[in-house]
Amino acid sequence: MTSQNLETNAKNTWCPGCGNFAILNSIKAVLKSIQDEGTPLENVVLVSGIGCHAKIVDYINVNSFYSIHGRATPVAEGIKLANPTLKVIAFAGDGDAYGEGIEHLIFAAKRNIDVTMIIHNNRVYGLTTGQYTPTSPLGFKGRSTPKGSIEPPINPLELMLASGATFLARGFSHGIEQLKKIFKEAINHKGFALVDVLQVCVTFYNMYEYYDKRVYELKDHDAGDYGGALNKIKEWNYHADSKIELGVLYKKAATTFEERLSASKKDAVDIDSNIEKVLAKAV
Ligand SMILES: Cc1ncc(C[n+]2csc(CCOP(=O)(O)OP(=O)(O)O)c2C)c(N)n1
Ligand code: SF4
Ligand SMILES: [Mg+2]
């Protein structure tokens, strides 16, 4: 098997210092390792929404679907259902996934469909130059909220846990080695996996100094304990001025949507053939 070159000819137009570079470099390293372990990259499909983050699929030489704002999740689900042997990895922004596309995310988690969602959570609309998003803090000053946002943020990881996600983690664009580890574990997880990456937008919301002072890596955390995971997830809440936990927060083995779908198709075939037998006898 020849090794697939991951580079493309697309010109990178992200701002210098953007946290998206850390995600790009980490995922490229993980794709390379997946390939080295024997999975051809033609078995991987990347999906993106619309936003600065979405350009990532232009910068990786792997089959991809550049979708529309808020719709990375259903496109990823459709690809997985059409061909369950594929590994599907979707990239979405916080505006994309936690705003316009939030309902898709809830249902994907509820179904436990086997896709990996990587959320570039810069807590701002980057591409449209600085409006507030569902994870911007109360008081956030941006293009659409010059006097400060009057809404508190949502905690997307708490919402995903309640919705049924079976793998939840948080990474940071100042921690490439940890990002690689988390991405690899998320991609290998069987079921719905979401990685919320604190991806700093240096141009419209530069949080490096703030995060650098507060982040810490989870140690001795039992990711299989729902209650413990919930407590950890609620510790920071995207607003409190507290420590911010990084790492795998929750992980659970569970039947996937595709497995249940395939079993129900088999039942349907059995029912059909039984009906044919009954009808044949009746004639
Ligand atoms: C259906 C639809 N709604 C709105 C837009 C306009 N739009 C494009 S990018 C964007 C925000 C992107 O923010 P985010 O998803 O956080 O990504 P980022 O640019 O921060 O990576 C919006 C509102 C659009 N292109 N399509
Ligand atoms: S606007 Fe922000 S998110 Fe977009 S490329 Fe520039 S630094 Fe990155
Ligand atoms: Mg954003």
Side-chain angles (χ1 to χ4, degrees):
M1 187 181 70
T2 52
S3 178
Q4 185 169 323
N5 176 11
L6 291 174
E7 305 307 315
T8 71
N9 292 325
K11 183 177 184 290
N12 193 307
T13 56
W14 287 330
C15 309
C18 173
N20 283 327
F21 286 103
I23 298 180
L24 175 64
N25 291 332
S26 307
I27 200 72
K28 272 166 66 178
V30 170
L31 289 171
K32 207 174 166 314
S33 77
I34 288 175
Q35 178 171 238
D36 292 345
E37 285 159 16
T39 302
L41 291 185
E42 67 208 33
N43 291 1
V44 177
V45 180
L46 308 179
V47 180
S48 74
I50 294 288
C52 293
H53 66 277
K55 300 176 189 174
I56 196 167
V57 298
D58 283 341
Y59 308 145
I60 307 173
N61 183 26
V62 169
N63 288 327
S64 61
F65 192 120
Y66 205 138
S67 76
I68 55 173
H69 191 58
R71 306 292 179 254
T73 313
V75 170
E77 290 184 273
I79 293 169
K80 184 69 187 177
L81 289 182
N83 185 350
T85 63
L86 295 173
K87 271 195 189 298
V88 184
I89 306 165
F91 303 89
D94 48 325
D96 210 23
Y98 301 150
E100 195 153 341
I102 188 71
E103 72 283 19
H104 296 299
L105 213 51
I106 292 171
F107 280 93
K110 168 186 176 286
R111 297 181 179 119
N112 194 32
I113 189 160
D114 185 17
V115 300
T116 303
M117 300 294 308
I118 294 176
I119 314 299
H120 302 225
N121 186 1
N122 52 19
R123 307 174 71 203
V124 69
Y125 283 177
L127 191 72
T128 49
T129 69
Q131 297 81 8
Y132 81 115
T133 74
T135 50
S136 306
L138 188 69
F140 172 84
K141 287 195 172 126
R143 284 268 166 131
S144 55
T145 51
K147 290 188 177 163
S149 159
I150 54 169
E151 294 176 40
I154 59 161
N155 182 336
L157 291 174
E158 187 181 356
L159 180 65
M160 286 297 96
L161 186 68
S163 303
T166 53
F167 182 100
L168 292 170
R170 184 186 289 120
F172 175 34
S173 54
H174 237 180
I176 282 206
E177 286 315 310
Q178 191 190 34
L179 274 184
K180 284 190 214 164
K181 242 171 54 195
I182 295 176
F183 287 167
K184 185 83 184 274
E185 203 173 331
I187 292 165
N188 284 337
H189 175 73
K190 186 170 75 72
F192 181 83
L194 182 137
V195 185
D196 180 75
V197 183
L198 298 175
Q199 171 259 313
V200 174
C201 168
V202 287
T203 305
F204 296 109
Y205 197 35
N206 193 338
M207 295 287 280
Y208 270 127
E209 210 182 314
Y210 181 93
Y211 289 148
D212 277 337
K213 280 193 199 135
R214 289 166 180 80
V215 293
Y216 75 96
E217 197 166 335
L218 283 169
K219 293 229 160 62
D220 305 322
H221 168 66
D222 178 5
D225 172 23
Y226 186 97
L230 180 62
N231 286 340
K232 275 285 162 215
I233 283 172
K234 287 175 84 167
E235 222 171 70
W236 173 48
N237 251 351
Y238 295 74
H239 189 58
D241 197 17
S242 62
K243 292 274 177 205
I244 304 171
E245 59 289 349
L246 300 177
V248 177
L249 289 147
Y250 184 64
K251 189 174 178 174
K252 176 189 158 184
T255 313
T256 64
F257 183 70
E258 308 84 271
E259 288 168 339
R260 272 178 270 118
L261 182 67
S262 142
S264 74
K265 275 189 192 157
K266 193 180 160 301
D267 284 351
V269 170
D270 290 347
I271 290 167
D272 279 354
S273 61
N274 279 339
I275 289 172
E276 275 167 25
K277 278 182 211 151
V278 171
L279 288 175
K281 269 190 197 161
V283 174

